[in-house]
Amino acid sequence: MASSLTCTGMIWALVSLLSAAASCVGFFMPYWLLGSQMDKPVSFGTFRRCSYPVRDEERQATIMLEQCGRYASFQGIPSVEWRICTVVTGVGCGLLLLVALTAVMGCCISELISRTIGRAAGGMQFLGGSCQIGWAYYCTGAGATSAILLCTWLACFAGKKQKQYPY
């Protein structure tokens, strides 16, 4: 099976895949911010939350609903800043996944990734990885940091030199 990647490119593909996975896991988990409310542990992320207060109209009281779930709608996300964070982080994770899957395919398909494409992919990883306190926040940050630093650098050396055809 022919590959379009150098040995460094193979490492780049693996690190890209791990970075994208870490970022996506962190993005989907509701453990960005941890705390307590009404003596119950609460946490939330960009579009998920765990243990949140709801109004019980029957008893005319506020109770803690101890379950995890997504917000009912995009407008249900608590603030404009968190909505922006959800969109930006989601787009970033999508870019990281796109580049990682392309890099993995480059391991199996010859002449898929040239040096130019590798550098462009590294640029996409740089843009996709610049995300902004629980473990999910750190997981997303670690994936983004490795994409920005390590994957961007490895991508510069990922593609083999293209053959010069004498036309």
Side-chain angles (χ1 to χ4, degrees):
M1 179 172 4
S3 172
S4 64
L5 297 176
T6 61
C7 186
T8 304
M10 298 281 191
I11 295 168
W12 167 63
L14 176 65
V15 174
S16 293
L17 190 61
L18 294 174
S19 297
S23 291
C24 290
V25 165
F27 175 62
F28 286 108
M29 292 294 129
Y31 305 110
W32 281 45
L33 296 174
L34 308 172
S36 64
Q37 190 173 16
M38 298 172 62
D39 295 324
K40 305 274 189 213
V42 296
S43 62
F44 70 97
T46 56
F47 67 96
R48 292 187 60 183
R49 60 188 174 178
C50 290
S51 299
Y52 48 93
V54 293
R55 182 79 178 155
D56 185 1
E57 294 300 326
E58 246 179 57
R59 291 189 262 172
Q60 293 294 315
T62 300
I63 60 169
M64 286 299 285
L65 191 57
E66 296 185 57
Q67 65 183 24
C68 292
R70 288 177 290 213
Y71 295 103
S73 69
F74 187 71
Q75 299 302 320
I77 296 174
S79 70
V80 172
E81 292 82 4
W82 276 102
R83 288 183 209 130
I84 292 169
C85 182
T86 299
V87 171
V88 170
T89 305
V91 168
C93 286
L95 281 174
L96 291 176
L97 276 174
L98 176 70
V99 172
L101 294 175
T102 303
V104 169
M105 288 189 319
C107 294
C108 305
I109 301 171
S110 68
E111 298 185 28
L112 177 66
I113 298 180
S114 65
R115 285 192 181 201
T116 304
I117 291 176
R119 288 183 178 131
M124 286 177 62
Q125 284 179 314
F126 183 79
L127 291 175
S130 55
C131 306
Q132 296 292 348
I133 282 200
W135 66 266
Y137 175 82
Y138 292 115
C139 187
T140 304
T145 301
S146 68
I148 287 172
L149 300 177
L150 189 57
C151 292
T152 301
W153 180 74
L154 289 171
C156 293
F157 307 102
K160 292 181 179 175
K161 288 185 180 179
Q162 287 184 318
K163 296 177 184 173
Q164 299 297 324
Y165 296 104
Y167 293 106

